[in-house]
Amino acid sequence: MEDQKQKEEFFPKIVGYLCNWCTYAAADLAGSSKMELSPSLNVIRVMCSSRVDYNLVLTTFFGGADGILIAGCHPGDCHYDKGNYYARRRYALLKSILETLKLDPERLQLSWISASEGKRYVDVVNEFTERIKKLGPNPINRNAYY
Amino acid sequence: MKTTTAKSLRVSKKEGVRKPILAFLKSLLTDAVFDAILIPMQVPAGDSYAWVLVKDPSLLDQANPLAPIMPVQGAKALKSLTRKGEGNLKIAAVMRPCEVRASVELAKLNQIHLESITLMSVDCPGVLPVADYFENPGESEKRFNAMLSENRWGNGSMKSVCQICEQFSILPSSDFHFGLMTGSESSVVLISSSPKGQRVLKDRSLDGSVSLSDWENGIESIRQERKKERTKRFREVQSMVEGFDGLLKTFARCIGCHNCQSACPICYCRHCYFGSEASKLDSDFILKKAEQRGGLSFPLDRRMFHVGRMSHMSLSCVACGLCSDACPVSIPVADVFSFVADQTQRTFDYKAGEKREEPLPIRQYRLEEIKGVEEWVKDAEGVES
Ligand code: SF4
Ligand code: SF4
């Protein structure tokens, strides 16, 4: 019962690393079009999804964020030609580690959202938030070890 | 296509395999096939080994191509040798297969120049954990030698990573190989598998009528045993380390000395991110975390450091086990890292150090791969489902 209650009250903290050239613009578009959006996402603007290195993701994860969203341009549309392909490989590596160690790999997501996809941005954020809500708080926060 | 040539060295039962190998290496120095040979050599006190770049052929008498321990990874020695470029000397490096693999990875990371180096690998029975060896070096030498001469491979006193190593023999990436596991026990097979390796066998008057099948069968049967053991051990490691609590339990006694990182041949960064100023957290953040979690334990990076290091080096990890040897609080670092590395390398269908021409997985990409990033499905190339 207690657990159930806690889960209901749980409001996730999600960190979003958004590419300046596409997803960040999509977020802007969603805002200026007054679309409704879960306020769970703390946006950090990066110049490319490939800027998001392992240390950045892991600091966020071990720092206690409940979810991490990396979002960039669709394959083929990278502002720097191929940054998102490298981002995808790094993401695959991180996922593989989190999966192997069973550290809730679902808390990490990579999405492709172009500048014109304001609606898609809203859907991705809302769906991801729902998923994290179901997962509950990041277990890393359960004890005193970083 | 690679050209492979094989010859053989006679071995008398009494002498064992070391003497004929050393005599052969000596002839390569005296005939100026090489200008120098990098090889492990017993230290003067007789209680450890060091890498020595040998110019004087007579020094080779104290060398040991099959040292019972690996206090320094050979790739590290080779790295310091070619740190400032390739140099003019023709050098042979006599190494264990995991050292050859680490050298190849470091070459891909632009840390080693292999142009003037001939990589010579030796069939490897494994090495002893340094801590065990240091308890009684004399005894350990005897134990190791007995095991070698009696052909008792897969011995349980070797390091745990050695016991499950499948790449303990010839590699596509080495230039030259010494095969020890001959069924008859009366010869060492010499295999050259690259133009550089060919230079070594050219003009040597050696027995050229070798059949490799005995040796190949011997290697294969050990490999099969190791494979089985590997699956079993990985399952044990997995149940130890998995989950947030498993990871914490495994690394909670870590004192944050980062010895595992400094001993690692792959961790080449001159300034490691972990421990750097950039990795430090500000005190407000730390206080807030302490408040959230009820307290905060130091050193701060107990879990983050290890998972971070996995993300940086696991694709190139050769499972040499130096990290476990280096850990002052006996954490089975290598067991965990080799298990994770096995998985991450599988994700990209990559085997660290096996092929020189294969680029590092994170330095390349395919246009169509890793589909459905949004619901992570294991569909990266080569992944088993
Ligand atoms: S842990 Fe990472 S940053 Fe540190 S030395 Fe290894 S690869 Fe470099
Ligand atoms: S060597 Fe051992 S104690 Fe030191 S950082 Fe590595 S795991 Fe921790």
Side-chain angles (χ1 to χ4, degrees):
Chain A
M1 254 358 277
E2 266 295 292
D3 263 18
Q4 191 59 33
K5 220 177 131 202
Q6 258 184 2
K7 264 200 185 150
E8 271 164 23
E9 283 165 8
F10 165 62
F11 189 74
K13 272 208 185 75
I14 299 173
V15 175
Y17 292 105
L18 311 186
C19 161
N20 174 63
W21 303 104
C22 50
T23 314
Y24 194 77
D28 216 20
L29 179 63
S32 53
S33 328
K34 302 207 168 3
M35 295 183 192
E36 218 166 292
L37 172 75
S38 164
S40 56
L41 198 75
N42 300 269
V43 173
I44 297 175
R45 179 166 60 152
V46 290
M47 290 312 280
C48 177
S49 52
S50 66
R51 160 64 183 91
V52 185
D53 61 31
Y54 308 121
N55 301 340
L56 217 45
V57 174
L58 292 173
T59 309
T60 316
F61 186 74
F62 283 88
D66 301 308
I68 301 163
L69 175 70
I70 305 166
C73 314
H74 288 269
D77 292 342
C78 174
H79 186 78
Y80 307 101
D81 195 22
K82 50 196 178 185
N84 49 1
Y85 293 120
Y86 290 116
R88 187 169 62 183
R89 284 230 157 187
R90 285 192 201 150
Y91 167 82
L93 173 64
L94 275 173
K95 272 283 197 194
S96 167
I97 294 174
L98 295 181
E99 202 158 72
T100 305
L101 296 173
K102 297 217 168 37
L103 299 176
D104 292 2
E106 307 86 343
R107 293 183 190 277
L108 177 62
Q109 178 168 316
L110 173 64
S111 291
W112 309 132
I113 306 167
S114 75
S116 60
E117 293 177 316
K119 170 80 175 67
R120 183 174 151 74
Y121 173 76
V122 170
D123 290 346
V124 166
V125 173
N126 286 344
E127 274 165 32
F128 189 45
T129 306
E130 275 318 301
R131 189 138 51 90
I132 299 295
K133 266 189 188 163
K134 278 200 200 102
L135 262 176
N138 185 349
I140 211 84
N141 291 320
R142 272 201 309 242
N143 57 46
Y145 293 86
Y146 192 70
Chain B
M1 269 264 68
K2 273 195 175 174
T3 32
T4 307
T5 316
K7 291 194 173 175
S8 71
L9 295 176
R10 284 232 154 267
V11 175
S12 82
K13 260 219 142 129
K14 210 171 109 248
E15 275 182 354
V17 291
R18 268 184 207 131
K19 278 232 170 106
I21 293 180
L22 288 175
F24 175 71
L25 291 174
K26 217 181 229 181
S27 76
L28 296 178
L29 267 190
T30 42
D31 298 348
V33 178
F34 293 113
D35 300 310
I37 295 182
L38 185 69
I39 193 167
M41 196 175 276
Q42 206 163 32
V43 299
D47 56 1
S48 188
Y49 284 82
W51 284 95
V52 177
L53 183 65
V54 177
K55 285 280 290 170
D56 175 357
S58 69
L59 261 182
L60 278 175
D61 293 334
Q62 297 150 47
N64 190 347
L66 284 157
I69 49 170
M70 189 188 288
V72 174
Q73 232 271 5
K76 271 210 153 175
L78 202 54
K79 185 178 72 176
S80 17
L81 188 62
T82 63
R83 178 73 194 91
K84 303 244 157 141
E86 55 184 290
N88 293 321
L89 292 186
K90 288 192 294 293
I91 293 169
V94 184
M95 294 175 155
R96 302 303 235 274
C98 62
E99 294 173 312
V100 168
R101 286 187 291 126
S103 303
V104 169
E105 287 301 296
L106 284 176
K108 290 180 190 178
L109 291 160
N110 300 326
Q111 301 302 309
I112 286 186
H113 296 263
L114 288 176
E115 291 77 4
S116 52
I117 310 283
T118 301
L119 293 174
M120 301 179 118
S121 48
V122 192
D123 271 351
C124 179
V127 290
L128 302 171
V130 282
D132 294 359
Y133 176 89
F134 289 150
E135 266 176 30
N136 190 338
E139 253 325 293
S140 305
E141 290 281 339
K142 265 193 221 136
R143 204 151 40 95
F144 190 85
N145 291 342
M147 186 233 41
L148 252 191
S149 64
E150 288 159 30
N151 240 340
R152 275 188 288 119
W153 286 44
N155 186 295
S157 46
M158 298 299 170
K159 295 209 293 206
S160 56
V161 278
C162 300
Q163 292 175 28
I164 58 168
C165 172
E166 293 175 50
Q167 291 157 293
F168 59 95
S169 187
I170 194 165
L171 301 162
S173 55
S174 71
D175 295 304
F176 191 89
H177 186 76
F178 293 95
L180 309 182
M181 278 297 307
T182 46
S184 56
E185 289 180 48
S186 60
S187 59
V188 170
V189 288
L190 308 177
I191 305 162
S192 73
S193 44
S194 77
K196 271 188 206 159
Q198 296 293 52
R199 261 190 75 244
V200 179
L201 284 186
K202 214 178 106 226
D203 306 332
R204 300 288 105 193
S205 52
L206 296 165
D207 186 358
S209 61
V210 271
S211 136
L212 290 179
S213 59
D214 272 2
W215 167 72
E216 279 165 352
N217 292 338
I219 291 295
E220 198 43 40
S221 79
I222 297 177
R223 187 171 284 141
Q224 288 314 323
E225 276 169 39
R226 301 246 179 117
K227 221 182 203 132
K228 262 190 242 145
E229 190 61 21
R230 190 176 169 92
T231 316
K232 195 179 125 233
R233 297 275 184 90
F234 278 170
R235 236 181 270 129
E236 290 165 13
V237 173
Q238 180 171 19
S239 62
M240 168 185 79
V241 77
E242 72 182 10
F244 291 87
D245 295 338
L247 187 69
L248 181 58
K249 271 186 200 141
T250 308
F251 289 107
R253 66 172 186 272
C254 172
I255 57 169
C257 64
H258 296 190
N259 279 0
C260 45
Q261 176 261 318
S262 1
C264 177
I266 304 302
C267 271
Y268 64 84
C269 307
R270 281 177 287 293
H271 296 287
C272 176
Y273 171 77
F274 303 100
S276 71
E277 277 313 301
S279 75
K280 299 283 187 284
L281 305 167
D282 69 73
S283 24
D284 286 346
F285 180 84
I286 294 174
L287 277 175
K288 193 145 176 263
K289 287 290 131 194
E291 192 183 319
Q292 252 173 26
R293 300 176 187 196
L296 205 57
S297 118
F298 294 85
L300 276 175
D301 61 2
R302 280 210 188 67
R303 280 184 284 190
M304 154 94 186
F305 163 62
H306 293 288
V307 179
R309 209 166 76 81
M310 283 167 198
S311 71
H312 293 187
M313 52 61 73
S314 74
L315 286 174
S316 294
C317 176
V318 296
C320 62
L322 274 261
C323 45
S324 280
D325 267 351
C327 181
V329 293
S330 309
I331 295 169
V333 192
D335 296 331
V336 175
F337 275 65
S338 61
F339 163 62
V340 172
D342 184 81
Q343 293 297 314
T344 57
Q345 291 178 23
R346 238 175 241 270
T347 299
F348 296 101
D349 197 14
Y350 183 74
K351 276 194 175 148
E354 205 170 71
K355 297 197 188 104
R356 295 192 191 198
E357 60 284 2
E358 214 169 40
L360 293 166
I362 51 150
R363 293 257 183 96
Q364 53 160 352
Y365 60 86
R366 290 196 184 82
L367 292 179
E368 302 269 335
E369 62 173 0
I370 319 172
K371 301 211 188 67
V373 283
E374 283 156 28
E375 307 88 58
W376 170 250
V377 249
K378 270 194 154 192
D379 60 359
E381 234 215 346
V383 171
E384 291 179 349
S385 52

